[in-house]
Amino acid sequence: MIEILDSPLHVGAYRFTGQLTGDDYDACIADLEMRLARFPCVAVVSDLSDMQGVSLDAVGKDLRYAASKLGEFGRFARAAIVTDKRWLVTVTEFAAHLMPNTEVRTFAQDERALALAWAAELDPNTPAP
């Protein structure tokens, strides 16, 4: 399940719980695309603390979306991952190397407000690299 969190317009903030479905993924992308239509750069906060898994449909949609954004990854200027799961921290650290124009940080579950504040510091009118 996805919950779209209150955040500044240039910050897509999401809390994922249970099993992430294709429909959840569609809702997330629709919200994110609305933000990308308004600003050259956005930040993303994903609270994965209570996520239990991802459906194959959602994985497929994620791969297609990522492929459609090749060359535009710089528009995702900041990404904050909220989790206490060590394996997600490790995956996030690895993924950060694949996105050199994106500042990526992980935050503990009790630091979601800090993650949102850090993401909101982004100047959304900064041109994408």
Side-chain angles (χ1 to χ4, degrees):
M1 186 173 123
I2 181 176
E3 176 187 355
I4 299 173
L5 304 173
D6 288 334
S7 62
L9 288 177
H10 68 286
V11 178
Y14 314 99
R15 181 172 179 257
F16 300 97
T17 57
Q19 176 88 358
L20 178 67
T21 67
D23 289 341
D24 295 330
Y25 192 84
D26 290 343
C28 178
I29 294 307
D31 183 75
L32 191 54
E33 284 295 315
M34 177 272 301
R35 295 167 197 281
L36 287 167
R38 296 183 74 173
F39 299 101
C41 289
V42 297
V44 179
V45 176
S46 298
D47 184 344
L48 307 177
S49 301
D50 296 317
M51 190 174 80
Q52 302 300 316
V54 181
S55 73
L56 287 177
D57 185 35
V59 170
K61 288 179 179 194
D62 185 47
L63 292 173
R64 286 189 296 277
Y65 184 72
S68 77
K69 291 299 179 188
L70 288 176
E72 292 185 58
F73 287 145
R75 295 190 66 201
F76 301 91
R78 284 193 168 177
I81 306 298
V82 178
T83 185
D84 286 330
K85 297 174 180 155
R86 183 68 206 149
W87 71 271
L88 280 173
V89 171
T90 301
V91 168
T92 300
E93 290 168 352
F94 174 76
H97 295 293
L98 302 176
M99 301 180 304
N101 295 319
T102 303
E103 283 184 84
V104 180
R105 285 186 54 188
T106 57
F107 295 84
Q109 187 173 3
D110 62 352
E111 295 178 321
R112 184 168 71 188
L114 182 62
L116 278 164
W118 176 77
E121 290 173 357
L122 170 74
D123 177 357
N125 297 307
T126 302

